[in-house]
Amino acid sequence: FPAAIKSVAEWFPKRERAFATGIFNAGTNVASMFGPFLIAYLTIQYGWRACFIITASAGLLLMIVWLLLYRTPEAHKSVNKAELEHIRSDAPAEDNEPKLSWKAAASLKQTWGFSIAKFLTDPVWWFYLWWLPLYLTDVHKLTLDQIRWPILLVYGIADVGSVFFGWVPGYLIRQGWDAGRARKAAMAMCAALMPISSLAVFADNVWLAVALVSVATACHQGWSANLFTTTSDVFPKRVVGSVVGIGGCVGGLGSAVFASLVPGIIIQHFGYTPAFLAMGFFHLTALLVVHKLMGGLKPITLAPVAVT
């Protein structure tokens, strides 16, 4: 993700970045939709050990392809002058921007605005992914075979949300909106729908419950596409990868706490209802954090610092 976000910052002007992020972010859901079937096939054909080796090696092979093929727009032979001007149309010249150490990047309030937002919202995505199959089994009494289709629907609609809410800021910017305001408007739309989706826990009909959860996953993926893009809005390209890496680490810690440990305790003692309802308000809280710590999402100017 750090490499992908930085690549989007290198290849797209600000008004198109959330849409581009929404598209690549949707790819993770496509893999989640079809991955289980592929993994089952590999396990049956070659055993579970081979399945681990094959899936783990895929990332290494992709890295080799990436290193061989990826170029910045300035170094790519197929990019002409007009296309390069389009890519750089709303980006300041960054040739003289200082490099930033991880320690210095972590000291910026904007970095913590992004990271705390990840800490609060990443767990919501993982909560639904981890606990939805158990919920459908425990509450709606679906079999493992029956769960397959609801899960496919949830992931499929998440893709739609990722792309649609990634498109929204670009549309608003083309209508004359400031980029930061457009980005926050899209994030606010997603956050506002999350409490409604948490009502899935009260649905007696399984497909109504699945539909409401699908709203949650779609809104989260749309939120995620825009939250990731705030880093390229605010930070120089040289710093984007580091900031996304820091935020990803903090988001992972949040997921361990709020998607695994705490829900496990709550569900065991109080059932699914309080856990589902709590998930509905994390994004609204994170939106307030982004507003307070990242402000209007304006580009920051960095003073030269020593690299450690």
Side-chain angles (χ1 to χ4, degrees):
F1 270 85
I5 298 298
K6 184 169 182 177
S7 300
V8 167
E10 290 176 338
W11 273 91
F12 294 89
K14 188 177 296 185
R15 59 186 175 275
E16 298 173 4
R17 288 175 185 170
F19 186 44
T21 301
I23 292 174
F24 89 69
N25 195 38
T28 62
N29 300 325
V30 173
S32 297
M33 290 169 65
F34 298 103
F37 301 102
L38 176 61
I39 290 171
Y41 173 80
L42 292 173
T43 303
I44 293 170
Q45 294 295 319
Y46 306 106
W48 66 269
R49 291 179 177 85
C51 185
F52 268 71
I53 293 171
I54 292 169
T55 55
S57 301
L60 179 62
L61 293 174
L62 180 61
M63 183 189 72
I64 295 171
V65 173
W66 176 272
L67 292 173
L68 290 173
L69 297 182
Y70 183 78
R71 300 290 183 272
T72 62
E74 290 82 0
H76 200 290
K77 294 184 294 185
S78 299
V79 176
N80 59 44
K81 184 178 179 180
E83 290 170 332
L84 189 59
E85 289 177 352
H86 171 72
I87 293 170
R88 299 288 174 255
S89 59
D90 57 4
E94 295 179 342
D95 292 339
N96 297 321
E97 284 282 1
K99 293 183 179 180
L100 198 67
S101 68
W102 280 68
K103 181 178 179 181
S107 69
L108 298 171
K109 69 175 184 178
Q110 291 88 345
T111 301
W112 283 104
F114 171 75
S115 299
I116 294 172
K118 290 280 289 177
F119 181 83
L120 291 170
T121 58
D122 278 13
V124 178
W125 172 252
W126 294 110
F127 170 81
Y128 284 117
L129 264 58
W130 291 342
W131 292 96
L132 181 61
L134 291 173
Y135 169 74
L136 294 175
T137 301
D138 293 344
V139 176
H140 292 282
K141 308 304 179 184
L142 298 188
T143 65
L144 288 176
D145 186 59
Q146 292 171 325
I147 286 174
R148 174 176 56 182
W149 300 110
I151 296 300
L152 281 173
L153 178 64
V154 167
Y155 279 120
I157 295 180
D159 273 350
V160 175
S162 181
V163 176
F164 173 74
F165 287 110
W167 168 83
V168 167
Y171 172 78
L172 294 176
I173 291 170
R174 289 191 293 274
Q175 304 306 307
W177 285 46
D178 170 80
R181 182 177 170 225
R183 193 86 61 221
K184 284 205 225 176
M187 295 170 71
M189 293 178 196
C190 297
L193 289 171
M194 294 302 290
I196 298 173
S197 63
S198 68
L199 298 177
V201 73
F202 297 114
D204 293 327
N205 181 279
V206 63
W207 288 108
L208 176 58
V210 168
L212 289 170
V213 170
S214 298
V215 172
T217 57
C219 289
H220 172 81
Q221 289 296 76
W223 163 278
S224 183
N226 282 281
L227 180 62
F228 274 127
T229 310
T230 63
T231 59
S232 58
D233 289 342
V234 173
F235 299 94
K237 289 194 294 292
R238 293 181 180 180
V239 186
V240 167
S242 298
V243 173
V244 174
I246 293 169
C249 176
V250 176
L253 294 174
S255 297
V257 174
F258 294 116
S260 181
L261 180 62
V262 173
I265 296 171
I266 292 176
I267 291 170
Q268 180 180 3
H269 294 284
F270 305 103
Y272 288 93
T273 300
F276 267 74
L277 292 178
M279 293 298 130
F281 295 93
F282 277 59
H283 287 72
L284 289 169
T285 306
L287 182 63
L288 179 62
V289 170
V290 169
H291 179 69
K292 290 294 185 181
L293 295 182
M294 301 186 78
L297 303 179
K298 302 295 184 183
I300 63 174
T301 302
L302 300 174
V305 296
V307 179
T308 59

